[in-house]
Amino acid sequence: MKKKYFACAMGLVLALSLAACGEEEVVVENTNEEVTQEVQTQEVQTQEVQTQEVAEAPTETVAETGTEAEGGPLLQVAVMEIPDLSGTEWNFAGGMIDGVEMEEEDLNATLETYGGTLQLVFGEDGAVTMVQGGGNAEGTYEYSDDNTAIKMTLDFGGTEVTYAGFLSEVGDTVTLIAMSDMNGYDGLYFVQ
């Protein structure tokens, strides 16, 4: 047993002595300035690679409205697939103005603007009506290719207004969010 330990110890000493004989003296020729310049060059190259990776990352969109996910908070919400809307009614329940959720007084003022009533009623044949206390706006709607958005075109006394709509959960309620512009800061909420 002692012979085995002795043989292992001798092998270790031999291996260490051979490793020590193989060392060479290393002469450092770079000055601090050259090393600093090399490190800075490597940092710039790393930043360029990171910038290129960000530029190549895919851009997310809200449904197929053609708008990039950058923008207001309404463009950042998770969207749901839209079921068949024909024969459904959606009642105004709030919204967002300039990126801020409506408060009760904003909701009441908006309803007053629309004559006390504001609803979206979807017909069987792609027709949609915005029911208002002061008169209705008739129009049409169509689904996006992936059923995550709808495009509503309504006639307000000879002026056509287009809304992009999508479903999302606000709290625990499935909400239809309708936006007349695609900045993501303004929208009306409708619930069933």
Side-chain angles (χ1 to χ4, degrees), residues 28-158:
V28 177
E29 294 182 12
N30 288 345
T31 63
N32 283 342
E33 185 176 309
E34 290 172 339
V35 171
T36 303
Q37 186 177 15
E38 186 177 329
V39 169
Q40 289 173 344
T41 302
Q42 289 175 350
E43 287 175 355
V44 167
Q45 289 171 345
T46 301
Q47 289 173 351
E48 288 173 355
V49 169
Q50 290 172 345
T51 303
Q52 182 179 3
E53 288 172 357
V54 170
E56 292 173 356
T59 304
E60 297 178 6
T61 59
V62 173
E64 288 192 10
T65 56
T67 301
E68 295 181 3
E70 295 176 11
L74 292 177
L75 297 180
Q76 310 302 323
V77 300
V79 298
M80 304 167 57
E81 187 171 330
I82 299 176
D84 182 14
L85 293 175
S86 60
T88 63
E89 293 183 12
W90 297 75
N91 299 304
F92 176 67
M96 184 173 285
I97 301 171
D98 295 326
V100 178
E101 294 286 337
M102 284 185 181
E103 294 182 8
E104 186 71 28
E105 95 180 27
D106 299 320
L107 188 138
N108 293 334
T110 302
L111 270 176
E112 188 177 313
T113 301
Y114 288 101
T117 302
L118 185 58
Q119 290 180 310
L120 287 173
V121 178
F122 294 93
E124 299 291 329
D125 56 353
V128 62
T129 303
M130 183 177 275
V131 178
Q132 305 172 30
N136 297 342
E138 303 289 336
T140 60
Y141 71 98
E142 58 186 84
Y143 297 93
S144 65
D145 291 338
D146 63 357
N147 281 345
T148 58
I150 58 171
K151 176 182 174 184
M152 297 176 282
T153 305
L154 296 161
D155 181 9
F156 289 91

Side-chain angles (χ1 to χ4, degrees), residues 147-175:
N147 281 345
T148 58
I150 58 171
K151 176 182 174 184
M152 297 176 282
T153 305
L154 296 161
D155 181 9
F156 289 91
T159 302
E160 279 192 352
V161 177
T162 301
Y163 289 89
F166 55 92
L167 292 181
S168 186
E169 282 195 54
V170 176
D172 291 332
T173 306
V174 174
T175 304

Side-chain angles (χ1 to χ4, degrees), residues 19-29:
C21 291
E23 289 184 20
E24 294 180 16
E25 187 177 331
V26 177
V27 178
V28 177
E29 294 182 12

